[in-house]
Amino acid sequence: WLSPAGRACVCDRELFAVPAPTTSSMSEYASADHAQEVTRDLSARQEESAQRVRQERIGAACLKRTRAFGKLILFGEHFVVYKAPALVGAVAAYTDCDVEFTGAPGIEVVDLRPAVPGYKVEKAAEGEEAVKIVLSHLGVDTEKRGAKITFGGSLTAVSGIGASAAQVVSLARALSAALPRTLSEEEVNAAGYEGEKGYHGTPSGVDNTAATYGGVLRFQRTDGAPLFTMKKLAGPIRIVYASTGITASTTKVVGDVKAKKEADEAWFGSLLARYTALAAEGEAALDAGDMAALGRLLDENHALCQELTVSCKELDDLVVAARGAGAVGAKMSGTGRGGLMLALTPTAESQAAVAKALEKLAPQVWMTTFA
């Protein structure tokens, strides 16, 4: 779950914990691994301090207007690219942004978002391109006037959560305020879609739509504009989600799936037909508030992802552990081959139990509720 500082508590406790030295472990305490943990701890604290200063300087209300949300895919990984419907829920954690125009030309990006180790380094080039695309899309010429762009918020940047979409959507909102230029939600979403091209080449559009509108939605690509419908839930849906700690390249994984599809259209067509039927059942279970059926269908969706070769041992292990701890269903969520998994937990008690079980295996664990 999230601490008041906006970080996953298990992450604070395990990943960034600095063990006290003992006489028998002094050599280990001085090791490079420990030095790296100390550095991570200091970096995390520095980022949290910088976020507090930033909120005081700009104002929480102003930053709130730039929020864009992370997301979890209930149904639709990869199949959504091929115009199959997806069901997606936005999480409460968000990215925010502020933009300050400067006298000197160029772009300065300050990234204060919490992130799993390695994420920002792995995604740096893609993120730089995404920022440039959004600026260009909204008519900002940084050769004429520079821009200092600062990202923050509570959403931990990790593969599968839609961190890139939340980043570019929050940038679009911040530019709307800084230019100033009134943007409709549709225009913000469109700018986010363009920015996602910097990360993913040809994005599906589902992540930026969830980041813009929040809530739980049904999304489907078409030859024209995508279709999406906000869902009304019969009751709260409690979710636990956990990270493998592995940062995956969406562009690479989507490209691999495309190559497999083109090599064996019949194989992919069979999987797509099974998924389409499953997604329809999943939407009906969601509408009815039938958690048992929804959980069973999430399990089936994970099995399809395994057949699609986008799961991995780390994801499978977390899924099995969640089911063993009481989740009524569990699956990978997002790109796959690392990143995140999610578990459906109908009660607060089962949610806590599943989170506790996953903490033993995963570097980061969160709890959220769709409502």
Side-chain angles (χ1 to χ4, degrees):
W1 72 319
L2 292 177
S3 69
R7 291 189 177 274
C9 289
V10 66
C11 178
D12 285 345
R13 184 167 67 251
E14 295 181 6
L15 183 60
F16 295 108
V18 180
T22 63
T23 303
S24 62
S25 64
M26 284 302 291
S27 61
E28 181 182 356
Y29 187 77
S31 69
D33 285 346
H34 176 74
Q36 187 177 28
E37 281 202 7
V38 172
T39 301
R40 289 175 186 165
D41 185 58
L42 290 175
S43 176
R45 293 178 186 277
Q46 288 166 351
E47 286 182 354
E48 288 172 358
S49 176
Q51 289 227 50
R52 286 194 294 271
V53 171
R54 176 170 167 260
Q55 286 221 359
E56 292 171 2
R57 177 174 63 85
I58 298 169
C62 289
L63 286 173
K64 187 174 182 179
R65 289 195 288 271
T66 71
R67 288 181 181 178
F69 301 98
K71 66 89 184 67
L72 293 169
I73 296 180
L74 295 172
F75 297 94
E77 287 85 359
H78 295 281
F79 297 109
V80 69
V81 175
Y82 300 97
K83 301 176 184 176
L87 291 171
V88 184
V91 301
Y94 59 87
T95 294
D96 57 28
C97 179
D98 64 273
V99 175
E100 178 184 355
F101 290 113
T102 61
I107 305 169
E108 178 187 358
V109 175
V110 179
D111 193 345
L112 301 177
R113 296 176 299 164
V116 299
Y119 179 93
K120 292 180 184 179
V121 173
E122 180 76 20
K123 301 284 189 178
E126 295 174 350
E128 181 180 340
E129 181 64 18
V131 166
K132 289 179 180 178
I133 289 173
V134 175
L135 289 168
S136 175
H137 178 76
L138 293 178
V140 178
D141 185 351
T142 55
E143 292 302 313
K144 294 181 178 178
R145 60 172 174 172
K148 179 180 179 181
I149 302 168
T150 304
F151 295 103
S154 62
L155 181 68
T156 299
V158 55
S159 291
I161 198 64
S164 61
Q167 182 185 35
V168 291
V169 169
S170 69
L171 172 58
R173 293 196 191 283
L175 284 169
S176 176
L179 285 170
R181 173 180 166 185
T182 301
L183 296 177
S184 67
E185 289 293 84
E186 290 80 6
E187 289 171 317
V188 168
N189 193 29
Y193 178 78
E194 292 301 314
E196 278 277 84
K197 293 178 181 178
Y199 278 100
H200 306 313
T202 306
S204 69
V206 66
D207 285 15
N208 51 276
T209 302
T212 301
Y213 294 98
V216 176
L217 57 91
R218 182 189 192 274
F219 177 93
Q220 188 167 14
R221 293 182 74 177
T222 70
D223 290 331
L227 305 174
F228 70 93
T229 305
M230 304 303 296
K231 304 297 294 182
K232 291 184 178 180
L233 302 181
I237 298 177
R238 295 178 178 86
I239 298 287
V240 178
Y241 62 105
S243 169
T244 60
I246 301 170
T247 298
S249 167
T250 300
T251 301
K252 182 180 185 306
V253 180
V254 169
D256 286 351
V257 171
K258 181 180 179 182
K260 287 180 178 295
K261 172 185 178 295
E262 292 174 348
D264 192 341
E265 291 283 358
W267 165 79
F268 186 84
S270 174
L271 289 181
L272 181 60
R274 287 163 57 195
Y275 166 73
T276 302
L278 182 152
E281 290 185 61
E283 185 172 10
L286 184 73
D287 291 342
D290 187 341
M291 294 298 103
L294 186 62
R296 173 180 57 80
L297 293 162
L298 292 175
D299 288 345
E300 291 182 22
N301 196 166
H302 183 73
L304 283 177
C305 289
Q306 289 174 315
E307 291 186 56
L308 202 58
T309 75
V310 295
S311 191
C312 63
K313 182 180 185 303
E314 291 83 357
L315 285 167
D316 293 343
D317 288 347
L318 292 174
V319 164
V320 170
R323 293 170 184 164
V328 297
K331 62 181 284 291
M332 59 161 275
S333 182
T335 298
R337 297 185 188 170
L340 297 175
M341 56 74 65
L342 64 83
L344 179 63
T345 51
T347 66
E349 292 76 17
S350 64
Q351 188 178 40
V354 170
K356 184 176 180 180
L358 292 178
E359 286 176 12
K360 298 174 182 177
L361 299 175
Q364 297 93 17
V365 176
W366 300 266
M367 296 191 293
T368 194
T369 300
F370 301 149

